[in-house]
């Protein structure tokens, strides 16, 4: 009783069709297929990028040195107003 029988799968499929409708299911499957294709191509690209960087040992990145900035405070000129 641990595994699902074919009847269980048929009932699950029927419930999915009733809930989502027959029009939205092909669109959802098409979107899922596109997503999987993009994912696979990105994974393949990451593997090829990883393979080329493994062949040439990478040097540790050095942070650029920045000169120290000295902050100066400038006073704003104040205008005098005459009381009449």
């Amino acid at each position: 009783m641990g595994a699902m029988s074919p009847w269980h799968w048929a009932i699950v499929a029927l419930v999915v069709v009733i809930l989502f409708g027959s029009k939205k299911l092909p669109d959802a499957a098409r979107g899922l297929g596109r997503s999987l294709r993009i994912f696979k191509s990105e994974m393949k690209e990451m593997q090829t990028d990883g393979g080329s960087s493994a062949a040439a040992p990478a040097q540790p990145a050095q942070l650029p040195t920045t000169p120290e900035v000295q902050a100066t405070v400038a006073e704003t000129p104040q205008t005098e107003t005459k009381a009449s």
Side-chain angles (χ1 to χ4, degrees):
M1 195 161 191
M4 291 183 69
S5 69
W7 283 107
H8 290 127
W9 286 112
I11 292 171
V12 169
L14 181 66
V15 169
V16 167
V17 169
I18 290 172
L19 286 177
F20 296 107
S22 60
K23 179 163 174 47
K24 288 189 179 185
L25 286 177
D27 295 336
R30 194 173 300 117
L32 181 64
R34 286 182 190 149
S35 299
L36 286 176
R37 247 180 278 132
I38 292 169
F39 179 73
K40 286 170 89 176
S41 68
E42 291 295 325
M43 289 298 293
K44 187 179 285 186
E45 184 177 328
M46 285 178 60
Q47 287 176 351
T48 58
D49 288 347
S52 64
S53 67
Q59 300 220 352
Q62 294 180 349
L63 297 175
T65 58
T66 57
E68 291 185 29
V69 178
Q70 294 180 352
T72 59
V73 178
E75 293 183 30
T76 57
Q78 297 181 0
T79 59
E80 294 181 27
T81 57
K82 293 184 180 181
S84 318

